[in-house]
Amino acid sequence: MFGADAYGVELTIDPATAERLVSVGPADVAAASGLTFARNVFVPLTTACRYTCTYCTYYDPPGAASLLSPEEIRNICERGADAGCTEALFTFGDDPDDRYTGIYEQLETLGHDSIHSYLREACEIALECGLLPHSNPGDQTREQMELVADMNASMGVMLETTADVQAHGGPRSKEPGQRIATLAIAGELGVPFTTGILVGIGETARDRAESLLAIAELHERYGHIQEIIVQPVVPNERWQEGSPDLETMRRTTAMARAALPDDVSIQSPPNLAPVADLLDCGIDDLGGVSPVTDDHINPEYAWPALRELEDIAETAGVPLSERLPVYEEYVCSEWLSPEIEAAIDADDEAGRRYRALLG
Ligand SMILES: O=c1nc2n(C[C@H](O)[C@H](O)[C@H](O)CO)c3cc(O)ccc3cc-2c(=O)[nH]1
Ligand SMILES: C[C@H]1O[C@@H](n2cnc3c(N)ncnc32)[C@H](O)[C@@H]1O
Ligand code: SF4
């Protein structure tokens, strides 16, 4: 189903359940009793990407694409730690392909033969600076994820949608089956994981229901999904097909809440979504916000200040609390590597900063 079987992942989505989910609305879900957020810095390792999603302004074509140096990574992480952040968010183009010879030459100069090998070094730098890595490098094979999993507090990839949409078309396209396979690999490797759906890229309400049920089924199998992001596509210079309307965002957010068990958080990104109008749809998290860096994927959409997040929570009448990039339920040896556990337990400034956010 959704091409996932080609990657050895079997899903069994019941059509009647999907149809029922389509008719779920805000009145069918409960508002959350609190809101959380994480304080992060965005580290855009490379703008090279093998895909060309039509909604994305992040990627640069071969020749123009860049790679951050270890010094640049360290500099961003140090600024983040100084500003009280706990998370280094590594998200960047999917595995640059053979067209990006310049990127491979730079990687080679740095002593690496792949972006994942370099990502591991980048995560080590973040940990040294006093930040917990959360990496979203897009699709990953088991070998790629194994190379970096123990250096991450949590990882993620947006499923986007299980539908075959034009927005992912073209000669090199994101495939639902491969995204689902990445989610399954994370489950097998026991990596606390963030995923989500991108709303308004040509999918139907039924597609959204099926995407959410696919995630729910994988969570039922592995228990590793810590949160689901319900993200509206937003216009930019490459995407002029608009953004989903409020009613669609309300219904879809409620759908996500209804599709997933309560232990999975529902995140609404406050720089992209009309969060104040989604508070009764079951959201309980505002994602990673940064006092230091831009949202490099959506640079025209500035992060709200902490004060604005507090206002949102006040409107909802619920407490706002800061969290780590890994949700508290996963802060234990069953889910975290010895390296990440040691960073959280350490008797140093960073360890104290992390532990202050745990109950
Ligand atoms: O700044 C952003 N953070 C994004 N994040 C980061 C997220 O807000 C936080 O890093 C997580 O909540 C973990 O704390 C993502 C993380 C993922 O694993 C998958 C997708 C996203 C998407 C975005 C995004 O578009 N912009
Ligand atoms: C990190 C995530 O950013 C999202 N992403 C990429 N481009 C856009 C856009 N124009 N609007 C909203 N989200 C976007 C994708 O869902 C990707 O997986
Ligand atoms: S959304 Fe990610 S995979 Fe798609 S083009 Fe942008 S960087 Fe590449």
Side-chain angles (χ1 to χ4, degrees):
M1 193 175 238
F2 313 124
D5 38 349
Y7 296 87
V9 182
E10 270 181 51
L11 293 177
T12 52
I13 287 162
D14 174 34
T17 311
E19 208 43 56
R20 262 201 310 280
L21 201 53
V22 167
S23 61
V24 162
D28 302 310
V29 298
S33 57
L35 285 168
T36 54
F37 72 102
R39 223 184 279 259
N40 70 17
V41 281
F42 198 123
V43 193
L45 217 50
T46 180
T47 58
C49 181
R50 63 167 59 235
Y51 302 137
T52 50
C53 308
T54 61
Y55 47 74
C56 176
T57 49
Y58 177 83
Y59 71 90
D60 284 322
S66 60
L67 185 71
L68 291 184
S69 69
E71 294 70 33
E72 286 170 312
I73 296 166
R74 189 173 294 278
N75 182 276
I76 298 170
C77 291
E78 281 173 352
R79 282 196 293 137
D82 286 347
C85 299
T86 63
E87 168 179 355
L89 168 62
F90 292 103
T91 187
F92 45 91
D94 271 59
D95 245 4
D97 60 19
D98 294 344
R99 294 168 302 146
Y100 287 93
T101 46
I103 294 291
Y104 283 101
E105 280 159 18
Q106 288 178 56
L107 280 170
E108 205 166 273
T109 314
L110 295 168
H112 294 281
D113 60 1
S114 71
I115 200 74
H116 267 76
S117 162
Y118 189 36
L119 174 59
R120 188 179 175 84
E121 179 181 341
C123 291
E124 285 165 359
I125 295 173
L127 281 165
E128 281 166 24
C129 293
L131 295 177
L132 297 172
H134 169 98
S135 300
N136 167 7
D139 296 330
Q140 297 180 78
T141 62
R142 170 186 286 273
E143 291 68 32
Q144 288 176 321
M145 205 183 291
E146 272 175 340
L147 195 58
V148 296
D150 62 336
M151 287 293 147
N152 279 271
S154 62
M155 299 186 74
V157 72
M158 293 284 277
L159 169 59
E160 321 290 12
T161 178
T162 47
D164 284 314
V165 291
Q166 267 298 321
H168 294 151
R172 296 166 299 278
S173 66
K174 251 182 201 174
E175 288 172 31
Q178 204 171 2
R179 311 293 269 187
I180 289 168
T182 304
L183 295 176
I185 290 164
E188 284 167 10
L189 296 179
V191 181
F193 217 67
T194 295
T195 187
I197 57 171
L198 188 56
V199 185
I201 53 172
E203 82 292 359
T204 63
R206 173 64 183 261
D207 294 328
R208 290 172 204 136
E210 289 181 357
S211 303
L212 292 164
L213 290 173
I215 298 169
E217 187 169 331
L218 290 165
H219 180 64
E220 202 176 310
R221 205 171 294 171
Y222 300 110
H224 64 314
I225 304 296
Q226 57 172 5
E227 58 179 347
I228 293 206
I229 307 177
V230 182
Q231 180 142 317
V233 70
V234 293
N236 56 44
E237 65 188 40
R238 285 183 182 149
W239 180 261
Q240 274 114 33
E241 291 175 54
S243 208
D245 62 18
L246 179 59
E247 190 53 25
T248 303
M249 285 312 293
R250 285 177 58 75
R251 295 195 71 86
T252 310
T253 307
M255 226 195 248
R257 183 62 291 164
L260 275 298
D262 285 348
D263 60 322
V264 178
S265 278
I266 305 297
Q267 176 185 135
S268 185
N271 63 327
L272 306 180
V275 175
D277 294 319
L278 298 172
L279 294 168
D280 61 335
C281 305
I283 62 169
D284 62 356
D285 184 74
L286 304 174
V289 296
S290 184
V292 178
T293 51
D294 283 347
D295 181 338
H296 288 280
I297 303 174
N298 301 291
E300 294 160 43
Y301 299 82
W303 291 122
L306 182 55
R307 181 64 238 162
E308 292 167 64
L309 300 186
E310 284 166 354
D311 288 347
I312 292 169
E314 204 169 296
T315 310
V318 297
L320 176 73
S321 52
E322 187 180 340
R323 62 167 172 83
L324 295 176
V326 54
Y327 281 65
E328 189 138 3
E329 305 91 278
Y330 296 91
V331 180
C332 58
S333 355
E334 193 196 332
W335 288 98
L336 296 183
S337 69
E339 292 85 343
I340 298 295
E341 274 208 301
I344 294 175
D345 291 341
D347 186 21
D348 59 15
E349 196 274 320
R352 282 187 283 278
R353 193 153 27 86
Y354 303 144
R355 289 194 299 280
L357 303 184
L358 297 172

